[in-house]
Amino acid sequence: MDFLNNRRSIRRYKTDDISDELLNSLLLQAERTQTMGNMQLYSVVVTRSKEMKEALAPVHFNQPMVTGAPVVLTFCADFNRTVKWCSFRDANSGYDNLLSLMNAVSDTLLYTQTFSCLAEEAGLGLCYLGTTLYNAGQIIDLLKLPKLVLPVATLTVGYPDECPPMTDRLPLVALIHQEHYHDYDEQAINEFYQTKESLPENQEFVKVNQKQTLAQVFAEVRYNKADNEAISGVLLETLKKQGFLK
Ligand SMILES: Cc1cc2nc3c(=O)[nH]c(=O)nc-3n(C[C@H](O)[C@H](O)[C@H](O)COP(=O)(O)O)c2cc1C
């Protein structure tokens, strides 16, 4: 697992294709990941065609990785398959509720991240697309996802054609709590975020956004309240439409 010490998200890819053999072997190995009750509450849509990538691109805010990667993978929380299995076997299922949604989402992310580690270890580069949840409704239409299937994560995957600098992380002590949660006072926050705040690229980020602090860039510009609330409203409607919530 030493590759994790050097890993970074890759957003530019060589034109080389990923063989079906390699892709399928990674997707197969990833199936060994943990899953709720061994139900495997996920499916993956593989996009290779230019037409489908071009259709998906605007949904992902035209991030260039979508058309620039040989393969785009959309990982979906999926109770449809399980419910079909139940219905064909005379079993009364009840998976149209919040708990089932959360179980399917956690299964999906475990599978996605296991695939991600395996792919990066095999020399591929990839990038997650958070826009998947922003525009889940449009992805559902494009990929023809039935009820009880929700796109949760997208990865653009290919052979790396860049080696960007590694990004910072918080110190371990900032995340780990011994025996019980120790809440953060201002002094602890100052200590844990000091490195991040003093990085030249982050100071530039503050300047470009005409803000006073890096936290303001995150909370008021990049991931702000108005957008979060608007996108949440749309997502909630999508969850109802897909039959996960009533
Ligand atoms: C759920 C999730 C969504 C993400 N969405 C995007 C995205 O839409 N576009 C992008 O360029 N990177 C995206 N990323 C990548 C992060 O920006 C990246 O992982 C983070 O900045 C740390 O950098 P590193 O992966 O190079 O260490 C996403 C990562 C995750 C886990």
Side-chain angles (χ1 to χ4, degrees):
M1 287 301 242
D2 196 42
F3 75 93
L4 276 176
N5 289 325
N6 289 307
R7 72 147 300 281
R8 60 265 278 166
S9 292
I10 298 296
R11 298 176 176 84
R12 222 175 52 220
Y13 310 98
K14 294 186 172 144
T15 50
D16 307 47
D17 217 342
I18 302 172
S19 69
D20 269 332
E21 193 190 7
L22 175 60
L23 184 63
N24 287 337
S25 105
L26 296 168
L27 290 167
L28 178 66
Q29 279 185 70
E31 270 202 83
R32 296 313 311 163
T33 200
Q34 295 88 336
T35 154
M36 180 81 191
N38 206 10
M39 288 190 283
Q40 298 190 253
L41 303 170
Y42 51 81
S43 286
V44 185
V45 179
V46 179
T47 303
R48 285 185 181 275
S49 78
K50 190 169 179 284
E51 296 71 36
M52 280 306 289
K53 285 180 209 161
E54 281 173 358
L56 282 169
V59 175
H60 291 293
F61 298 164
N62 289 313
Q63 297 192 75
M65 302 84 90
V66 179
T67 47
V71 173
V72 177
L73 299 174
T74 308
F75 295 80
C76 305
D78 186 345
F79 252 115
N80 174 53
R81 188 179 55 246
T82 307
V83 164
K84 290 255 156 74
W85 177 54
C86 292
S87 76
F88 291 134
R89 299 290 182 272
D90 260 348
N92 290 317
S93 59
Y95 299 125
D96 49 350
N97 46 56
L98 183 61
L99 178 66
S100 304
L101 170 68
M102 295 202 63
N103 285 337
V105 168
S106 64
D107 255 25
T108 307
L109 288 175
L110 286 168
Y111 181 69
T112 309
Q113 186 54 20
T114 302
F115 169 84
S116 164
C117 289
L118 290 165
E120 287 178 330
E121 200 174 22
L124 295 170
L126 52 85
C127 189
Y128 272 86
L129 300 183
T131 34
T132 312
L133 282 179
Y134 293 11
N135 290 317
Q138 292 165 65
I139 297 174
I140 287 165
D141 291 342
L142 280 169
L143 303 184
K144 303 189 196 310
L145 306 181
K147 281 196 164 206
L148 292 180
V149 181
L150 178 78
V152 170
T154 301
L155 294 179
T156 53
V157 194
Y159 290 96
D161 194 27
E162 64 170 355
C163 187
M166 299 211 13
T167 54
D168 65 292
R169 292 293 187 269
L170 294 172
L172 189 65
V173 65
L175 322 173
I176 307 300
H177 303 259
Q178 302 296 342
E179 309 303 341
H180 65 83
Y181 193 97
H182 299 268
D183 207 353
Y184 305 90
D185 58 17
E186 190 172 351
Q187 193 191 339
I189 294 293
N190 289 344
E191 185 189 327
F192 297 153
Y193 284 82
Q194 187 208 355
T195 304
K196 188 185 281 294
E197 289 172 332
S198 61
L199 291 173
E201 61 268 32
N202 283 339
Q203 290 186 351
E204 182 62 20
F205 214 16
V206 175
K207 215 159 83 188
V208 168
N209 283 285
Q210 296 176 320
K211 291 288 176 188
Q212 271 78 50
T213 70
L214 185 64
Q216 287 174 346
V217 178
F218 275 81
E220 297 174 14
V221 182
R222 290 190 74 186
Y223 306 102
N224 65 71
K225 183 176 164 71
D227 287 353
N228 288 341
E229 289 179 354
I231 295 165
S232 295
V234 174
L235 183 57
L236 194 57
E237 287 313 307
T238 304
L239 291 173
K240 289 179 189 162
K241 192 170 150 237
Q242 285 309 90
F244 278 104
L245 299 180
K246 288 165 203 119

